[in-house]
Amino acid sequence: MAEQPGSGPPLSPDETALMLRVVGRLEKLSESLLDFARVRPHRSLSVTLQPLVEEAWTLVRLDREAQRVQFVSDVSSDLTAWVDPDRILQVLVNLLRNAVDATTHARPASSAGKGQAAAPVVRIHGERIVRDGRRWARLRITDNGPGIPPEMLGRLFQPFASTRLDANGTG
């Protein structure tokens, strides 16, 4: 599609570029799955986080459920971190999908008491912090879903742990 515009489905140049990036990420994801049992060298770079956050949300927003979620980002354009951009993007997509899932599958009643559900909102906050004398970039993702069930807390950091019994969760 990139080499022969008009040969595929009707997509804008931006949509075509996004699709090419997604295919590249899928290729890297499949490599990551193959590397799951063996150590792969990290490819760390100094990366501006805001474009990664935006790309992660663009990918998540492709799901219908996410299209009705309000996304709020206050990650500044000058927040950088020394990371593997592909791995951080994968983490961001998983966390944002989990937040969307939490806000769209179990809506809490509004505080107004009228039985109306609060509008689903996912927020990401970025900041520079100092911990143990070192500078860090911190991204904090929050949502207005019901929270993590207490029985899940003990398994929270197990690989592929999920509260979704319908096989739609990423864990």
Side-chain angles (χ1 to χ4, degrees), residues 101-123:
D101 189 50
T103 62
T104 59
H105 286 94
R107 299 298 312 133
S110 72
S111 58
K114 297 178 183 172
Q116 251 182 327
V121 178
V122 173
R123 297 178 189 276

Side-chain angles (χ1 to χ4, degrees), residues 18 52 55 76 84 86 100 105 124 129 138 159:
L18 175 62
L52 283 177
E55 185 169 351
S76 70
D84 181 326
D86 295 325
V100 165
H105 286 94
I124 185 162
I129 64 168
R138 175 168 53 193

Side-chain angles (χ1 to χ4, degrees), residues 53 71-75 92 96 122-126 139-142:
V53 167
F71 179 66
V72 179
S73 173
D74 70 353
V75 178
L92 287 170
L96 290 170
V122 173
R123 297 178 189 276
I124 185 162
H125 174 73
L139 296 176
R140 185 177 304 201
I141 298 171
T142 58

Side-chain angles (χ1 to χ4, degrees), residues 10-125:
L11 297 175
S12 72
D14 288 341
E15 290 170 324
T16 302
L18 175 62
M19 186 174 287
L20 288 172
R21 286 195 310 269
V22 169
V23 168
R25 302 256 186 247
L26 289 172
E27 288 173 345
K28 290 177 182 168
L29 176 61
S30 64
E31 290 172 12
S32 294
L33 291 172
L34 292 173
D35 291 342
F36 187 70
R38 60 184 187 264
V39 176
R40 175 172 74 107
H42 291 276
R43 181 182 68 100
S44 293
L45 319 162
S46 179
V47 175
T48 303
L49 296 174
Q50 185 186 47
L52 283 177
V53 167
E54 290 172 10
E55 185 169 351
W57 181 249
T58 298
L59 293 171
V60 170
R61 196 181 62 223
L62 295 174
D63 293 339
R64 282 190 199 136
E65 292 289 320
Q67 292 176 9
R68 60 190 187 100
V69 175
Q70 179 186 0
F71 179 66
V72 179
S73 173
D74 70 353
V75 178
S76 70
S77 61
D78 63 347
L79 184 64
T80 60
W82 190 259
V83 297
D84 181 326
D86 295 325
R87 288 183 175 184
I88 290 300
L89 182 67
Q90 190 175 348
V91 168
L92 287 170
V93 166
N94 283 336
L95 291 172
L96 290 170
R97 277 194 178 138
N98 287 348
V100 165
D101 189 50
T103 62
T104 59
H105 286 94
R107 299 298 312 133
S110 72
S111 58
K114 297 178 183 172
Q116 251 182 327
V121 178
V122 173
R123 297 178 189 276
I124 185 162
H125 174 73

